[in-house]
Structures are given as C-alpha cells and as structure tokens.
C-alpha cells in the first residue's frame, strides 16, 4: 500500500544507511532542476517502497541511482583489500574502475567518511552510485562469496603446510585455525549447496585449474584456485571420501556424508587421471529433500492421467527414458510415493538411493560384494512385493528378471537410457529380450527432458523470428501465446532462469504397437503410430511451455530433437 505524506522518510531511513540528521540536510537542499527544496518536492508524493523513494531523492540531488546491480561484472581485485565487515558496516562496494576514476556502490550519497577511505586506498577519484541496502548487501554477499574467504593467504603458503589427516565432515565446525585448503574445500561445498548445484567439477589444466558448478543442467565457471594447490585440494577431497590419496593413476569413487545447516547431503566423488592431474567430479544429493508430487513435475494433464492409469495397474512394466540428468529418478519416486499405501509392499533396488521414503524397502546396489541389480531383484521376489522399482535396466539379466516379475503379478517401474519413448523397445531387443515378452509385459513408456524455467522477475516478451519458428518446425499461427526470452537479474544471479521443469511424451502400448514390437519394427515406425494415436511429443510439449511463458525457445531447442 502507498505510504502517507512524508511517510517516505521512514522508507529512506529503513532502506539505507542515511541517518536522520543527514536526511534532514538532504531535504533542505535545493533540487538540481527548479531550485525548490527537496522536501517540498517529496512532501506531496507517495512511494511504494524504499527503492522508489531513494531514486527520487537521487534524481533531485543529481546523483546516479541504480536498481539492478550486475555483481558478476565486479572485479574481485577491487575488493581484495576491503574486509567484508567494512563493506557491510559502511555499506560501500567498489563497482567499476576506469582510468583515474573508481565508481562505488553505496546507500548514502553523504557517506563522506567511507568515500574518503576508498579515495586514499585506491588513490582515485570516487564517484558514488546509490542503491538500497537490500540490493547492496545482496551484491556484497555475491561478490565476496565468489572471491571466497577460503582463498585468503593461499598465495603465501606451500602445499606441504596443509594438515590433511583430520577431515572436517560437518562444514559448520570449520574453525579459524583450520588450514586454508580445508576452508577452500568446505567453502566450495557450502556454496554449491546454497546455489543448488548438482555437481562440482574440479578440472586441472597445464598452467591452471578451474572449478565449475552445474546448476539447472548448465556448467558455470566459479573461480580458478592457484595451480600450486592442485595436489592439496585433490588430496583433501580424497581424504574426506576415504579414497587412496597415493593412487593417482586409476579411477576411484567414494562418498562424503555432510551435515550442512540441518541438511543431510550425500556427495558422490569420482576421480580420474588426466594429462595434467586428477580430475574430480562431486555429485551432490540432498537426502532431506521431500519427494515431489507428480503434479509438481510439470507433466501435461494427459500425461498425468496416463501415468496415474499405469501405476494403478496390478502388474506390468512402466519405463521412464531420457538422458542422464533428465529427472527420471524424480518421476519414479513421485510414482511410488503416490501408490505408497498400507496395503502395498513396495521394494526398490537403486544405485544410489537418492531419497528415503518411509514405508518402502529400499536396497542399495553394492557391486563390491556381488549385490548387483539382478542379484537383488532375485531376492526381492522372495519378499512378497506388490510393486518393484528398479533404478535402471542396463543389462539382459535385469531386463529378464523385471519382465518375468511383471508377468507373475508385480508392477515394475524402471528407467532405461534411450532418446525417446519408442526407442525403449528396440533397446530391450538389443539387450537380448524376446520381442513377444516385451510386447506382453510393457504397459507404457514416458520419455522426458528438463528445461530451465524463465525467471519471472526479468523475463522479457518479444516476437520470435521466422528462423526461430522454423527451427521449431511450426508456423506463427501455431505460436498463439506471448513468447518470452531470458534477460538476467539479481534474483536469478544474472542467468535468466530459476529452476527446471519437465517436458515429456507418454506412449501407451496398444495392440497395434504390440504387433510392431513383435515384428521387430524400428522405433521410427512405432513412434509414428503412437503420434497417429494421439501422443504429444516432447518437442510439442516444449512448445506448449513456450506458449505459456514458462520456458524459452532456445531452451526447448537445446533439449529436444526431431527426426
């Protein structure tokens, strides 16, 4: 609601570091336009928020005001000599350096003390750029987080100074006296969890090394640690994952259990030797995640109806296909969670167990002791299950046991790696399964991809070009909704997207499709028949998401293909 007359003063005092005497001084200053006092101009106005009121004051003072701060453009060299506490206390942040001029961000155009400090520190003329406290503190957090306090002092120490014998598993227990490499690795993990990254990549090259995060399916450069710390960082991570730090030639894999801000995080570590040292990838899984409801995954109404119909069957197989990272496991978890009732015995075989669900027996595959998917499945059948979830069908043994289980009164849910729904049938035949068994046991196949969701705070409407529509293989008439494109703002960390949603196709195995399977027809013929029967393809569902303003043309094009 708008504030009452003169209520803007409370907004200014609350949203900036301007003091009451300073505000009183500002209001008694003449404007730069007509010479009237600023309080006379502001007094008759109403403002919705601090940002709007501060912007008006700056306009009357002739001072530059900024709304969105591109914190990704701020050089880390500008803040290396400015303590984080100083930046937050005085609400100042170096922004841009040009010749003998330094532009700084501040919430107070009369902050002469801090301005003079920075003038002496940088030996440059200072130009203030004013913003609100909320936006400035957000920018400070982002910039200093990017620089990471763990990097302090790294250039002054040698690798042998690190104590790697006592891993700190609880990140919150990191002390001030811990070795910088421990702080560095802990900071990496902390930030990855905060940024909701699914993977951390530590990549060594000839003269440097790079740390990258995968966020919403896309890899982003985070920073470059000093090359001389490569062995220390690698050893630190391997110690935490209980790997052999002396073995640098063979691939290794392990796990790091973390407790971070009340969350249980599983980190799967993979190490492999490259030409310039060991390359490490850490996959993060939040074990405290609540299983998502099927209705929250982004499925179309027709697909939801089809999936609900399949998982209500007493026996048969439902498969979910798609590339790695396409949300297949999330779909399976949502399915078994929906049918998890007291009258059903549900057992799973997984590698790894990504989410714990109460009331369901979940078995972790362990190849070291011979507990493979096939071996676990054989034992599961002696546990009187109603529903079986198999993490992945990747060999003939698992496929055959799954098919036999489905034909003896069990509902089986699993995943398989194929490009589309129709490709699941030739894939099972390639594994060695008999076509007539596939045709009689499979109920349906869901193929899915994940596309990034446009940031609702900054997405921008535009008219797509003929080339874009041609790439989607549609006409302008088939794109009736408003189309949006990503822009980037502080809310989405300048990415233009926040989160991901599923696009999918649902193939029901009809009598006609069973006939094609038994004739060993290729996936193209099966898909054409399914489309004729009314199947909406992944691409078509993606176009629907574009029309609804959920995702962009570039995202759908990047994640779908047409034959």
């Amino acid at each position: 609601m708008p504030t009452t007359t003169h209520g803007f003063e409370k907004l200014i005092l609350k949203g900036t570091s301007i003091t009451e005497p300073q505000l009183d001084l500002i209001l008694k200053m003449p404007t730069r336009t007509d010479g009237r006092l600023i309080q006379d101009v502001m007094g008759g106005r109403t403002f919705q928020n601090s940002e709007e009121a501060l912007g008006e004051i700056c306009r009357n003072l002739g001072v530059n005001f900024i709304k969105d701060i591109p914190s990704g453009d701020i050089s880390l060299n500008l803040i290396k000599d400015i303590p984080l506490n100083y930046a937050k206390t005085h609400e100042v942040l170096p922004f841009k350096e040009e010749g003998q001029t330094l532009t700084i961000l501040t919430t107070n155009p009369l902050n002469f003390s801090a301005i003079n400090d920075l003038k002496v520190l940088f030996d440059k003329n200072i130009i203030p750029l004013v913003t609100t406290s909320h936006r400035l503190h957000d920018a400070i957090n982002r910039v200093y987080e990017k620089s990471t306090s763990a990097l302090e002092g790294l250039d002054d120490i040698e690798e042998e100074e690190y104590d790697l014998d006592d891993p700190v598993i609880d990140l919150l227990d990191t002390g001030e006296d811990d070795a910088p490499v421990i702080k560095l690795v802990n900071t990496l993990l902390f930030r990855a969890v905060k940024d909701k990254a699914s993977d951390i990549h530590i990549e060594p090259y000839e003269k440097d090394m790079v740390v990258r995060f995968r966020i919403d399916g896309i890899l982003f450069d985070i920073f470059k640690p000093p090359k001389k710390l490569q062995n220390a960082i690698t050893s630190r991570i391997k110690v935490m994952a209980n790997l052999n730090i002396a073995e640098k030639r063979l691939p290794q894999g392990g796990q790091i259990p973390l407790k971070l801000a009340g969350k249980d995080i599983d980190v799967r570590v993979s190490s492999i030797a490259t030409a310039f040292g060991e390359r490490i990838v850490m996959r993060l899984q939040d074990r405290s995640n609540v299983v998502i409801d099927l209705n929250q995954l982004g499925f179309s109404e027709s697909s939801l109806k089809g999936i609900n119909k399949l998982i209500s069957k007493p026996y048969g197989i439902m498969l979910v296909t798609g590339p790695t990272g396409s949300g297949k496991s999330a779909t399976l978890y949502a399915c078994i969670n929906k049918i998890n009732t007291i009258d059903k015995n549900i057992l799973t075989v997984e590698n790894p167990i990504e989410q714990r669900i109460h009331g369901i027996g979940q078995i972790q595959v362990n190849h070291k002791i011979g507990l493979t998917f096939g071996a676990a499945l054989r034992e599961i059948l002696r546990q009187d299950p109603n529903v079986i979830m198999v993490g992945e069908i990747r060999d003939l043994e698992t496929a055959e046991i799954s098919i036999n289980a489905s034909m003896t009164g069990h509902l089986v849910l699993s995943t398989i790696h194929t490009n589309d729904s129709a490709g699941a049938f030739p894939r099972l035949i390639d594994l060695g399964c008999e076509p007539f068994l596939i045709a009689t046991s499979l109920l349906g196949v869901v193929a899915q991809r994940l596309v990034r969701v446009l940031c609702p705070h900054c997405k921008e409407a535009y008219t797509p070009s003929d080339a874009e529509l041609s790439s989607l293989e549609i006409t302008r008439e088939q794109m009736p909704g408003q189309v949006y494109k990503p822009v980037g703002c502080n809310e989405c960390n300048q990415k233009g997207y926040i989160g991901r949603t599923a696009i999918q196709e649902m193939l029901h195995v009809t009598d006609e499709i069973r006939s094609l399977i038994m004739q060993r027809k290729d996936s193209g013929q099966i898909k054409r028949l399914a489309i004729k029967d009314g199947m909406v393809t992944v691409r078509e569902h993606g176009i629907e998401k574009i029309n609804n303003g959920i995702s962009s043309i570039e995202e759908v094009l990047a994640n779908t293909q047409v034959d």
Side-chain angles (χ1 to χ4, degrees):
M1 294 292 293
T3 61
T4 58
T5 302
H6 296 301
F8 70 87
E9 297 178 15
K10 293 181 180 179
L11 291 176
I12 296 296
L13 295 174
K14 181 180 178 181
T16 72
S17 64
I18 296 175
T19 64
E20 285 194 49
Q22 288 176 333
L23 180 57
D24 187 58
L25 178 62
I26 289 173
L27 294 178
K28 291 179 180 179
M29 289 181 180
T31 68
R32 292 295 180 92
T33 53
D34 57 11
R36 288 186 296 161
L37 296 183
I38 292 178
Q39 65 182 0
D40 294 334
V41 176
M42 301 279 288
R45 296 280 306 276
T46 57
F47 300 94
Q48 298 286 345
N49 49 51
S50 300
E51 185 176 277
E52 189 177 331
L54 183 60
E56 182 64 17
I57 279 184
C58 289
R59 189 182 70 81
N60 286 304
L61 284 176
V63 179
N64 290 325
F65 177 78
I66 186 172
K67 288 185 177 180
D68 293 325
I69 304 171
S71 55
D73 296 338
I74 299 176
S75 171
L76 299 184
N77 288 329
L78 293 178
I79 66 168
K80 64 181 181 180
D81 295 325
I82 301 176
L84 175 61
N85 286 340
Y86 181 92
K88 287 189 172 183
T89 301
H90 294 274
E91 294 197 343
V92 290
L93 180 67
F95 181 62
K96 189 177 296 183
E97 190 176 28
E98 294 177 336
Q100 291 301 309
T101 300
L102 175 69
T103 302
I104 67 165
L105 295 168
T106 181
T107 65
N108 186 351
L110 302 184
N111 192 358
F112 300 123
S113 175
I115 290 174
N116 288 333
D117 287 344
L118 296 177
K119 185 175 182 179
V120 172
L121 179 63
F122 288 94
D123 192 23
K124 293 181 182 294
N125 296 320
I126 305 298
I127 297 178
L129 186 58
V130 182
T131 188
T132 60
S133 290
H134 171 74
R135 291 191 180 276
L136 181 59
H137 280 270
D138 182 64
I140 290 173
N141 288 335
R142 291 178 186 275
V143 174
Y144 277 84
E145 188 177 311
K146 186 176 180 181
S147 70
T148 69
S149 60
L151 292 176
E152 293 177 1
L154 290 182
D155 291 330
D156 303 325
I157 52 182
E158 299 298 330
E159 294 174 345
E160 54 266 24
E161 293 181 28
Y162 295 117
D163 176 12
L164 300 176
D165 296 329
D166 184 23
V168 181
I169 299 304
D170 190 333
L171 298 190
L172 299 183
D173 288 341
T174 304
E176 291 296 324
D177 296 329
D178 286 332
V181 72
I182 294 178
K183 292 182 180 180
L184 172 58
V185 173
N186 286 353
T187 301
L188 268 180
L189 292 166
F190 181 88
R191 182 177 173 187
V193 172
K194 182 180 178 182
D195 289 352
K196 298 181 179 179
S198 60
D199 302 86
I200 303 172
H201 290 239
I202 300 176
E203 306 168 358
Y205 297 103
E206 183 177 8
K207 296 182 179 179
D208 60 6
M209 62 186 302
V210 178
V211 175
R212 298 197 288 172
F213 288 174
R214 186 178 295 279
I215 303 172
D216 291 337
I218 306 298
L219 279 170
F220 296 94
D221 282 358
I222 301 303
F223 70 100
K224 296 181 179 180
K227 176 68 174 178
K228 71 177 184 178
L229 297 180
Q230 177 178 314
N231 290 337
I233 292 171
T234 300
S235 296
R236 169 62 183 168
I237 294 171
K238 291 172 74 173
V239 165
M240 294 176 74
N242 292 317
L243 302 180
N244 183 359
I245 62 173
E247 179 55 72
K248 301 179 183 296
R249 298 168 299 173
L250 297 176
Q252 295 188 72
Q255 280 188 305
I256 304 173
L258 298 178
K259 186 78 171 180
L260 180 60
K263 293 183 178 181
D264 291 318
I265 309 294
D266 271 338
V267 182
R268 282 185 284 160
V269 179
S270 173
S271 170
I272 191 169
T274 68
F276 302 111
E278 290 176 276
R279 184 187 184 103
I280 290 180
V281 174
M282 294 184 280
R283 171 153 289 187
L284 283 67
Q285 176 64 45
D286 185 354
R287 289 189 296 169
S288 61
N289 273 348
V290 178
V291 179
I292 299 175
D293 188 271
L294 266 174
N295 297 316
Q296 298 174 329
L297 294 177
F299 287 170
S300 66
E301 187 176 340
S302 60
S303 291
L304 273 177
K305 184 177 179 181
I307 291 174
N308 286 324
K309 181 179 179 180
L310 294 187
I311 62 178
S312 65
K313 299 282 188 181
Y315 56 85
I317 298 178
M318 186 189 86
L319 293 178
V320 182
T321 77
T324 301
S326 60
K328 301 186 298 295
S329 295
T331 298
L332 288 185
Y333 279 124
C335 287
I336 62 173
N337 189 54
K338 185 176 181 64
I339 58 177
N340 182 19
T341 56
I342 196 169
D343 61 327
K344 287 188 175 69
N345 181 21
I346 304 176
L347 296 173
T348 74
V349 185
E350 307 173 56
N351 187 25
I353 297 174
E354 296 183 9
Q355 296 183 32
R356 273 77 169 173
I357 306 177
H358 180 71
I360 293 176
Q362 297 176 269
I363 300 169
Q364 169 72 56
V365 168
N366 189 339
H367 292 283
K368 292 181 180 179
I369 61 173
L371 187 60
T372 62
F373 277 109
L377 271 174
R378 283 194 296 270
E379 294 304 317
I380 272 183
L381 293 176
R382 300 174 183 174
Q383 293 282 316
D384 186 31
N386 298 103
V387 181
I388 300 171
M389 188 188 95
V390 185
E392 181 183 354
I393 294 177
R394 61 169 65 183
D395 54 52
L396 178 59
E397 180 186 25
T398 306
E400 286 184 334
I401 296 175
S402 298
I403 289 174
N404 290 334
S406 72
M407 298 179 70
T408 54
H410 305 88
L411 177 65
V412 179
L413 310 178
S414 188
T415 70
I416 192 168
H417 283 278
T418 60
N419 289 328
D420 58 13
S421 55
F425 309 106
R427 172 63 178 151
L428 289 171
I429 293 174
D430 289 342
L431 288 176
C433 298
E434 291 294 335
F436 76 91
L437 292 177
I438 299 171
T440 53
S441 62
L442 253 67
L443 302 171
V445 183
V446 178
Q448 68 180 64
R449 300 287 190 277
L450 292 179
V451 293
R452 290 185 291 172
V453 175
L454 286 163
C455 173
H457 305 283
C458 65
K459 66 180 181 181
E460 184 177 282
Y462 81 110
T463 302
S465 66
D466 292 337
E468 288 176 304
L469 296 177
S470 178
S471 298
L472 287 172
E473 297 189 353
I474 60 173
T475 63
R476 198 166 293 278
E477 289 71 26
Q478 292 173 292
M479 189 67 77
Q482 180 65 68
V483 179
Y484 294 85
K485 63 181 179 180
V487 177
C489 65
N490 288 331
E491 297 293 335
C492 60
N493 202 15
Q494 308 301 324
K495 295 180 179 69
Y497 299 93
I498 298 179
R500 291 189 290 177
T501 186
I503 55 175
Q504 84 296 315
E505 61 188 29
M506 176 82 224
L507 189 154
H508 293 276
V509 181
T510 62
D511 290 339
E512 292 80 7
I513 288 177
R514 288 191 181 94
S515 176
L516 294 182
I517 295 170
M518 287 190 286
Q519 296 175 50
R520 296 177 180 265
K521 297 297 184 180
D522 60 48
S523 61
Q525 295 186 59
I526 296 174
K527 186 172 185 176
R528 285 191 289 274
L529 178 57
I531 293 174
K532 183 180 177 182
D533 290 340
M535 182 181 78
V536 176
T537 66
V538 172
R539 169 65 65 84
E540 290 170 338
H541 190 211
I543 293 172
E544 182 182 325
K545 297 278 187 180
I546 297 171
N547 268 321
N548 292 332
I550 296 172
S551 193
S552 65
I553 290 179
E554 63 179 0
E555 265 299 289
V556 172
L557 286 174
N559 288 280
T560 62
Q561 62 180 22
V562 292
D563 298 326

